Amino acid sequence: MRRIGIMGGTFNPIHNGHLAIAQNAREQFALEKVLFMPSGVPYMKEQGEVLPIEVRCEMTRLAIKGIPGFALSKIEAADAAQRKNTYTCDTLQKLKHADPEAAYYFILGADSLYAIEDWKSPELIFQSCTVLAAVRTESVSTQQGDVSGNPRKRLNKQTQYLREKYHASVEILEFAGMDVSSTQIRERVRRGESLQGLLPEAVEAYIRKNRLYEKDL
């Protein structure tokens, strides 16, 4: 069965941290490819802060251009055109319907494991894919102490809880941490600071050319 990764996100903008996580997922779990999927209408985020889907798709296309095993998916872009909220459970069902023979691996930040029960139909999400929880290697190093003060033990406890409650397939995706975030990049653009090393050069050029993020949206 072909293994396909799903790297969803607002990608406002996409940056090198996203690419590093996707590459680690592809290598650690033998994924045939990773679909980069800009969210159409991310209902959990303030919409005024999010650039139009067409712009975020173009930045994503530029970021992954020429990288083997990476592909852009616009499956959630249609939701934006129809002004519909984007829900992971619905996206997974569409993918499974279109390619029922594929095994899907949904990549998310480990912190999302503590909030995923607040998402729409979490049981359907767990039925449709293996969840890969990305966490920085230094955050999961062995430490002494109780569960509440130990990130690794707390993460293991939450993972086991989800496995038992939903019969979920949840795996830990470890990666070397990068000190970069989309919020940081937007702030650096507004302050006129360098973006070197934070995102692909083609994406930076696109941001500069179109004067994105220079003012508050």
Side-chain angles (χ1 to χ4, degrees):
M1 183 174 285
R2 294 179 301 108
R3 297 183 171 195
I4 298 177
I6 301 170
M7 185 74 184
T10 312
F11 298 145
N12 189 41
I14 191 169
H15 54 67
N16 288 339
H18 295 129
L19 301 182
I21 291 172
Q23 187 59 40
N24 274 38
R26 188 161 181 252
E27 294 172 358
Q28 289 182 38
F29 294 91
L31 305 181
E32 177 181 300
K33 63 181 175 180
V34 176
L35 300 177
F36 281 76
M37 193 176 295
S39 50
V41 182
Y43 71 98
M44 290 185 176
K45 291 184 179 288
E46 173 57 49
Q47 298 306 304
E49 299 179 354
V50 181
L51 288 179
I53 184 63
E54 298 82 4
V55 176
R56 292 182 285 118
C57 280
E58 179 60 14
M59 288 191 288
T60 303
R61 185 191 69 80
L62 291 169
I64 64 176
K65 183 178 181 181
I67 301 179
F70 286 2
L72 170 65
S73 170
K74 295 184 179 181
I75 192 171
E76 293 190 347
D79 293 333
Q82 300 174 31
R83 295 187 177 277
K84 293 169 53 180
N85 285 342
T86 298
Y87 297 107
T88 299
C89 61
D90 295 339
T91 297
L92 286 166
Q93 289 304 295
K94 292 176 185 176
L95 290 170
K96 295 286 286 185
H97 179 75
D99 190 355
E101 299 303 316
Y104 290 97
Y105 290 71
F106 185 73
I107 305 164
L108 47 67
D111 287 348
S112 294
L113 286 185
Y114 303 102
I116 198 167
E117 288 188 286
D118 295 328
W119 296 15
K120 180 183 176 183
S121 303
E123 70 283 351
L124 197 55
I125 294 174
F126 291 122
Q127 290 171 15
S128 305
C129 68
T130 294
V131 172
L132 302 183
V135 61
R136 294 187 181 194
T137 302
E138 60 265 26
S139 296
V140 296
S141 58
T142 303
Q143 301 176 29
Q144 298 297 320
D146 60 18
V147 172
S148 62
N150 187 314
R152 182 62 189 238
K153 288 185 178 180
R154 181 169 179 257
L155 181 59
N156 288 343
K157 183 178 180 180
Q158 180 66 7
T159 298
Q160 188 61 30
Y161 162 74
L162 295 172
R163 287 170 177 164
E164 292 176 357
K165 180 174 180 178
Y166 297 97
H167 302 288
S169 176
V170 183
E171 301 293 341
I172 302 301
L173 169 62
E174 298 187 28
F175 72 102
M178 297 185 66
D179 186 18
V180 55
S181 71
S182 296
T183 299
Q184 175 191 16
I185 290 171
R186 295 195 300 269
E187 292 175 350
R188 291 179 73 90
V189 172
R190 282 193 275 272
R191 294 196 297 262
E193 297 176 355
S194 171
L195 302 179
Q196 186 175 4
L198 300 180
L199 71 177
E201 292 182 1
V203 178
E204 178 178 0
Y206 181 84
I207 290 172
R208 301 295 192 192
K209 177 181 178 181
N210 293 280
R211 306 189 69 176
L212 305 178
Y213 307 120
E214 291 186 3
K215 298 180 181 178
D216 293 333
L217 296 173

